[in-house]
Amino acid sequence: MSASKKQPSLSEAMLLATVARRFYVQGRSKLEIAGEFGVSRFKVARMLDTARESGLVRVEFSLPVPVDLALSDEVRSAYGLKRALVLERSTEREPKEVVRGKIGTLAARLLEEIAVPSDVIGLSWARSVNAMTEAIRSLPRCPIVQLCGVQAGMDMRGRSVETVSRVTSVSGGDAYPIFGPLVLPDRRTTETLRRQPGIAETFGQFRNLTKAVVSIGAWQPGESTVYDALDEAERAAIAARGATAEVAARLFDASGNALSTGLAHHVLAISHEELMAVPEVIALGYSRPKAAAVDAVLRSGMVSTLITDAAAAVPLLALAAKNPPSPRE
């Protein structure tokens, strides 16, 4: 409220508050209120506006999750998403692992709400997706498919195979794991493993996916599972090709285009084309260092729902304002 705004007198305030109570609390229409007070419905509308502008009436939203409604709506609109859930700004001061837990919990609540028995759900490995699986309490009986291999060096509880196992223990559906490393030494080894019966069965499920939960990685240290699995020369070579973002071991440039590199031939992972064909993709991408990567993936048109935090959402909106995303098929 502006400091120069004229405050209503006591009698005016009482009238405004009474009219506002009729409308907001009792659910009376503007026409009904106009008849009671002997004014036009346009006058009632102006009185309601004045009641809000003067601070007599404050509109608040009490959501069941800690989400910034305004930022969520702005991000959703800027990128043409089906949904955007942005953690409230207070989380900017919290440790990253706490924010990760909240991101995972939001994803869990959403997946519990929208999953149906006919779904085939894919999961990529990431700490945030792992946090989601630990927060899930109920799911319909549907298949759970691992989207990429196991990152080397992870403890057993954090690996993608165990992530899939935890979700299927909740859903009771079939599990389709990938018992193989994420990054392999060469194309021949990759093709050999893809032909193994268990892995081939999982890869055969990619075309059946109806929903997927993935994490958005940035092509920089500590922000991408794949980046950290490669040696320095490979990282630099891929960066020189324009890599900005990574999802399930698949790379995107800053414009959201699928990036073709030698990496595609030695990872056990769903393909770009199969990812783009999934009808509903829930992407988890948060923190300021990942903003450009999140922007890139959103521009690809792959994502239907984004779950993020204010630290990423604010620069995201700046990127979208500077270079508005183009609608994609």
Side-chain angles (χ1 to χ4, degrees), residues 148-159:
C148 50
V150 179
Q151 181 191 15
M154 296 302 301
D155 61 51
M156 289 301 292
R157 182 166 177 77
R159 290 183 177 181

Side-chain angles (χ1 to χ4, degrees), residues 85-105:
L85 300 176
V86 179
L87 281 177
E88 57 192 17
R89 291 174 185 267
S90 62
T91 60
E92 291 181 287
R93 299 185 296 273
E94 296 178 333
K96 191 170 184 178
E97 59 271 18
V98 174
V99 176
R100 181 187 305 132
K102 291 183 177 181
I103 292 284
T105 298

